[in-house]
């Protein structure tokens, strides 16, 4: 089907989705409030992360940082520790930058921005997140177009446009803006946007056969009529991830473990890691690496292989635990620290890439 014929959304779309949502919506903690800060925290956490994973993080985060002022003032290590395991750490760094702007006299003087346009001015708030907050917390008639909405709408219209192209995302958003503006009945923009989230998670599934028999839009869905639901949405072919081989070293002096802080910019910026080297080192090479740090190895034990997938990179890891003679209070590299396992778990944010060795 041609692009120009893929855009006529059913007039009953809002009514059908919001009615379905009212009857089937999930009971989630962030839906118990219209507080824009809480909505913001949940929406940022839910990017690239499953709902089941987010719930305990969300509750803990709000208990420690209950408002934008607390977030703005939070020390970096504590902030990253609260986020540890969620990944994509730039999300929480941008949240803190945005909170500092909200609290600044040169920004919003402590008043949370209450419109889509003002929210868009903040770091890390793209069209989706700003639309979600504006519609849920403030009732503004703006869409929040995420992967769920794109999947549902492209299946609904058997839409051939590539959803990973920004121009097509903007076009679909504009179609929803027109539809929402024309809606004469009283409706909740926030409920409409959240209906996409729940329908996409419960019915119009991404990685499994869609449950079309439960869908309120099945009579309107062109992909369903064609029997081609899983042919949509369309995306450009993905580039292959770059493979990096690494050797992780868990270097111990009795109960203390050596960890390093990563650079302040780049992948996993500012987080803590075990010393590591490019390539898969042999035991002899790993011992030599340790000696080059000025340490005296006493024992080496192989650790299991592990793999971690980033967006564009894939780490294939092997590792060793190396017992060394006492550090005598010194660390071999500037920026390194010696910590007990308990201190590591409590105070030092370490990315999940190293989970297998932690």
């Amino acid at each position: 089907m041609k692009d120009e014929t893929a855009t006529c959304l059913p007039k009953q779309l809002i009514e059908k989705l919001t009615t379905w949502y009212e009857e089937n919506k999930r009971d989630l903690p962030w839906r118990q409030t219209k507080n824009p800060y809480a909505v913001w925290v949940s929406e940022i956490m839910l990017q690239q992360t499953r709902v089941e994973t987010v719930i305990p993080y969300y509750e803990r985060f709000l208990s420690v940082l209950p408002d934008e002022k607390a977030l703005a003032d939070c020390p970096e290590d504590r902030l990253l520790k609260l986020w540890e395991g969620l990944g994509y750490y730039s999300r929480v760094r941008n949240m803190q930058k945005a909170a500092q702007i909200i609290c600044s006299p040169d920004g919003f003087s402590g008043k949370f921005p209450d419109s889509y346009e003002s929210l868009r001015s903040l770091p890390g708030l793209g069209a989706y997140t700003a639309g979600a907050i504006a519609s849920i917390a403030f009732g503004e008639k703006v869409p929040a177009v995420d992967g769920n909405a794109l999947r549902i709408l492209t299946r609904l219209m058997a839409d051939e446009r590539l959803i990973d192209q920004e121009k097509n995302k903007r076009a679909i958003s504009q179609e929803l803006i027109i539809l929402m503006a024309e809606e004469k009945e009283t409706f909740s923009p926030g409920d409409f946007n959240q209906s996409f989230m729940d329908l996409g998670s419960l019915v119009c599934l991404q990685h499994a056969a869609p449950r079309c028999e439960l869908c309120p839009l099945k009579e309107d869905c062109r992909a369903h009529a064609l029997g081609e639901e899983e042919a949509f949405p369309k995306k450009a072919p993905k580039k292959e991830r770059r493979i990096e081989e690494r050797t992780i070293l868990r270097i111990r002096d009795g109960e203390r473990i050596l960890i390093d802080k990563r650079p302040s910019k780049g992948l996993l910026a500012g987080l803590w890691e075990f010393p590591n080297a490019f390539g898969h080192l042999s035991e002899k090479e790993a011992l030599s690496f340790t000696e080059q740090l000025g340490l005296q190895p006493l024992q080496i034990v192989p650790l299991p292989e592990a793999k971690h997938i980033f967006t564009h990179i894939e780490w294939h890891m092997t590792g060793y635990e190396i017992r060394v003679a006492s550090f005598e209070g010194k660390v071999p590299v500037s920026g390194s620290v010696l910590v007990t396992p308990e201190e590591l778990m409590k105070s030092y944010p370490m990315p999940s890439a190293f989970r297998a060795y932690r």
Side-chain angles (χ1 to χ4, degrees):
M1 186 171 70
K2 301 294 185 183
D3 287 354
E4 60 266 22
T5 65
T7 61
C8 187
L9 297 174
K11 297 295 184 183
Q12 301 80 21
L13 180 65
I14 292 176
E15 179 184 355
K16 286 186 176 183
L17 282 184
T18 51
T19 299
W20 177 89
Y21 176 74
E22 186 59 36
E23 296 172 355
N24 297 278
K25 63 185 176 183
R26 292 172 291 179
D27 183 16
L28 301 172
W30 44 87
R31 290 182 175 166
Q32 312 307 315
T33 179
K34 298 291 186 182
N35 181 306
Y37 174 76
V39 174
W40 178 34
V41 171
S42 72
E43 290 297 338
I44 297 296
M45 285 187 172
L46 286 165
Q47 294 171 13
Q48 309 290 335
T49 311
R50 293 174 61 85
V51 167
E52 297 80 5
T53 302
V54 164
I55 290 173
Y57 279 94
Y58 170 82
E59 292 174 338
R60 183 179 60 159
F61 195 95
L62 287 187
S63 70
V64 177
L65 305 176
D67 54 38
E68 51 268 31
K69 181 66 166 60
L71 172 57
D73 294 341
C74 185
E76 181 183 61
D77 271 354
R78 190 182 189 200
L79 180 65
L80 295 178
K81 191 66 181 177
L82 285 170
W83 203 264
E84 183 183 73
L86 279 176
Y88 301 93
Y89 289 86
S90 61
R91 294 183 294 173
V92 73
R93 293 180 187 279
N94 282 330
M95 279 186 69
Q96 185 170 59
K97 291 177 185 176
Q100 290 166 349
I101 292 171
I102 292 171
C103 296
S104 167
D106 297 326
F108 291 89
S109 298
K111 184 179 184 299
F112 201 96
D114 60 1
S115 71
Y116 174 82
E117 291 301 330
S118 59
L119 288 163
R120 284 287 275 128
S121 70
L122 295 173
L125 270 79
Y128 166 76
T129 307
I133 299 170
S135 63
I136 295 169
F138 303 112
E140 188 173 350
K141 285 187 177 183
V142 288
V145 179
D146 67 349
N148 288 309
L150 291 168
R151 183 168 64 259
I152 292 164
L153 293 172
T154 55
R155 286 176 176 173
L156 183 67
M157 307 310 296
D159 191 335
E160 299 280 351
R161 290 174 293 184
L162 302 178
I163 64 163
D164 45 6
Q165 292 185 357
E166 283 301 318
K167 66 175 184 178
N168 294 331
K169 290 182 185 179
R170 288 194 298 270
I172 292 170
S173 293
Q174 187 59 38
E175 292 154 24
L176 283 173
I177 289 171
I178 294 170
L179 187 71
M180 294 171 81
E182 292 175 347
E183 179 70 16
K184 293 183 171 55
E185 299 294 328
T186 302
F187 81 104
S188 166
D191 284 358
F192 178 53
N193 286 329
Q194 290 180 100
S195 71
F196 284 113
M197 303 172 198
D198 280 17
L199 191 70
S201 297
L202 303 174
V203 177
C204 197
L205 305 176
Q206 178 179 13
H207 296 302
R211 306 168 69 192
C212 298
E213 70 279 4
L214 302 178
C215 184
L217 304 176
K218 62 184 177 183
E219 294 178 359
D220 305 295
C221 183
R222 296 182 187 176
H224 180 59
L226 295 169
E228 296 182 358
E229 299 93 341
E230 294 183 73
F232 300 91
K234 303 291 187 182
K235 295 182 180 180
K238 283 188 176 181
K239 294 181 180 178
E240 290 189 9
R241 294 189 190 93
R242 184 175 78 250
I243 304 296
E244 288 187 1
E245 294 184 341
R246 286 181 175 258
T247 300
I248 312 301
L249 301 179
R250 200 164 65 200
I251 301 174
R252 304 186 67 147
D253 160 19
E255 284 303 308
R256 297 182 300 174
I257 304 169
L258 183 68
I259 59 174
D260 304 323
K261 194 164 193 176
R262 291 181 65 85
S264 59
K265 294 183 179 180
L267 182 68
L268 306 176
L271 297 169
W272 293 87
E273 65 179 357
F274 297 116
N276 59 88
F278 284 103
H280 286 169
L281 304 185
S282 65
E283 288 192 16
K284 182 178 180 180
E285 290 169 331
L287 291 170
S288 176
F289 181 94
T290 307
E291 289 169 348
Q292 289 172 21
L293 295 177
L295 302 172
Q296 181 184 343
L298 301 177
Q299 182 186 36
I300 183 168
V301 178
L303 297 174
E305 294 183 352
K307 181 169 71 173
H308 190 81
I309 297 174
F310 300 95
T311 305
H312 303 296
I313 304 171
E314 193 169 312
W315 281 3
H316 291 189
M317 295 172 283
T318 188
Y320 299 98
E321 176 164 292
I322 301 177
R323 298 274 180 167
V324 298
S326 175
F327 288 106
E328 298 178 350
K330 299 178 181 179
V331 292
V333 179
S334 176
S336 299
V337 296
L338 294 168
V339 296
T340 65
E342 293 75 20
E343 289 170 335
L344 176 59
M345 295 301 293
K346 181 180 179 181
S347 303
Y348 293 87
M350 181 173 281
S352 56
F354 297 97
R355 182 175 293 153
Y357 302 100
R358 186 172 56 185

